Amino acid sequence: MHANDRNPKPIPRIKVCGVTLVSDLDFVAAAGIDTIGLNFVAHSPRYLAQDRAQELSRRAAELGLLRVAVTMDLAANELNDLLAQIEVDFVQLH
């Protein structure tokens, strides 16, 4: 066994943040991207309403993409409400 076999380098992940169109998810997956960011920052031009976010989350899961909820300054109860409505794999706190 080679010394590097015991501690292999981690494989970097690539996240495309701010996806707003379901049609873009096929392109993202085909490009080898493995993670998408769903933007829940209210003042962002890429902010997602709940119905669009649910649709994107479902399709991303079908494609095997990891889903990150991108948030900013949410109170704990607001974050809990969001996570009860939208299925994601990770949360990015800003």
Side-chain angles (χ1 to χ4, degrees):
M1 175 184 269
H2 189 275
N4 288 337
D5 292 338
R6 288 181 291 215
N7 295 313
K9 288 185 177 184
I11 298 171
R13 296 200 177 274
I14 300 172
K15 178 179 79 165
V16 172
C17 205
V19 175
T20 59
L21 301 174
V22 174
S23 60
D24 288 343
L25 293 174
D26 292 315
F27 175 78
V28 168
I33 307 300
D34 52 18
T35 308
I36 61 158
L38 302 173
N39 191 320
F40 298 103
V41 178
H43 64 271
S44 170
R46 292 174 303 280
Y47 170 80
L48 293 170
Q50 182 176 327
D51 58 338
R52 175 61 62 90
Q54 288 171 332
E55 183 181 18
L56 284 163
S57 178
R58 278 192 300 274
R59 179 64 182 141
E62 290 169 1
L63 293 169
L65 297 167
L66 295 172
R67 300 149 303 169
V68 178
V70 179
T71 67
M72 183 176 185
D73 298 332
L74 290 181
N77 64 318
E78 293 173 308
L79 182 58
N80 286 333
D81 289 346
L82 172 69
L83 297 177
Q85 299 299 317
I86 313 296
E87 188 173 339
V88 296
D89 302 292
F90 300 99
V91 176
Q92 178 178 325
L93 304 173
H94 184 317

